[in-house]
Amino acid sequence: MTRSLTVLALLGCSILSACGTENRGLESVHQPIVARTDYVYDMTVPNDHLSDESARGLSGWFDSLNLRYGDRISVDTQGYGAGSREAVGAVAARYGLLVDETAPVTHGEIAPGSIRVIVSRMTASVPNCPDWSRPSTANFNGHTMSNYGCATNSNLAAMVADPRDLISGRAGASSVDAATSSKAIRTYRKAPPTGAAGLKTETTKGN
């Protein structure tokens, strides 16, 4: 009787271990997925130049997108000269970004006399995490837990400044740019202090 119960218990464990995500190696099956979204903004360019009103409208659109590091800006000039592209580049420079040489293909036609400004933004995430599909029980197949790798890769996807770097890393430069290497430290030092809840703290002095 005892032997039969033992066999049944082992069968039950093997059935449970056969369910859920399988992590058979040291590398997790949960890897960051990078997705790209293209935002478009059409604007008229009389005489191949932007008016002050158009430039303010473009700047307002950039603000609404919360334009940031890692975004790529491009211009589909529809055969216009370099004037409109340079004008867009001047607005983008206020945000510390440059205009790419080529523009991606986008849906919809551009009206005559207009150009299309495109902001390409990539985001990284780890789908299906957290993953508790496999019970935390003994298994006899050498599996790691179904949630293995979720925390590390999700944090990596959330913290990476440019998700493109997850697709292909950047080539090392032949020289070191001190301004680039110290930029993160300067940003950290200039940031306002935050409390434990992530709220800004203010210090008041008494009379």
Side-chain angles (χ1 to χ4, degrees):
M1 183 65 179
T2 303
R3 181 178 180 182
S4 300
L5 291 176
T6 304
V7 172
L8 290 175
L10 292 175
L11 288 175
C13 292
S14 62
I15 292 174
L16 289 174
S17 63
C19 302
T21 302
E22 294 185 354
N23 272 310
R24 292 182 176 272
L26 296 179
E27 185 175 2
S28 171
V29 298
H30 298 294
Q31 296 295 324
I33 302 298
V34 178
R36 192 188 80 184
T37 303
D38 292 330
Y39 303 92
V40 301
Y41 183 76
D42 292 349
M43 52 196 310
T44 57
V45 285
N47 301 321
D48 195 29
H49 287 83
L50 299 184
S51 64
D52 292 341
E53 183 179 358
S54 297
R56 287 194 296 270
L58 178 61
S59 181
W61 182 63
F62 284 160
D63 290 337
S64 68
L65 291 177
N66 191 23
L67 199 68
R68 58 181 182 267
Y69 175 81
D71 292 341
R72 299 293 178 90
I73 303 174
S74 55
V75 183
D76 193 340
T77 59
Q78 289 291 294
Y80 280 94
S84 57
R85 187 177 183 279
E86 292 176 356
V88 172
V91 177
R94 303 172 192 170
Y95 298 83
L97 298 176
L98 300 175
V99 175
D100 287 351
E101 294 293 334
T102 59
V105 177
T106 55
H107 295 287
E109 296 182 357
I110 304 175
S114 301
I115 62 172
R116 174 167 292 174
V117 182
I118 306 162
V119 173
S120 299
R121 175 173 294 171
M122 286 191 171
T123 57
S125 62
V126 183
N128 303 320
C129 277
D131 181 1
W132 303 108
S133 60
R134 181 177 292 276
S136 180
T137 57
N139 69 80
F140 305 96
N141 298 319
H143 291 203
T144 54
M145 292 182 61
S146 57
N147 197 53
Y148 174 69
C150 273
T152 300
N153 290 331
S154 294
N155 287 336
L156 175 63
M159 292 188 298
V160 64
D162 189 351
R164 287 177 177 83
D165 294 341
L166 297 177
I167 300 175
S168 59
R170 302 188 186 186
S174 57
S175 59
V176 177
D177 187 351
T180 301
S181 59
S182 60
K183 182 177 180 181
I185 299 176
R186 292 198 310 271
T187 303
Y188 175 78
R189 288 177 175 173
K190 291 180 180 179
T194 57
L199 302 176
K200 294 182 179 179
T201 58
E202 296 182 357
T203 302
T204 57
K205 296 182 179 180
N207 295 331

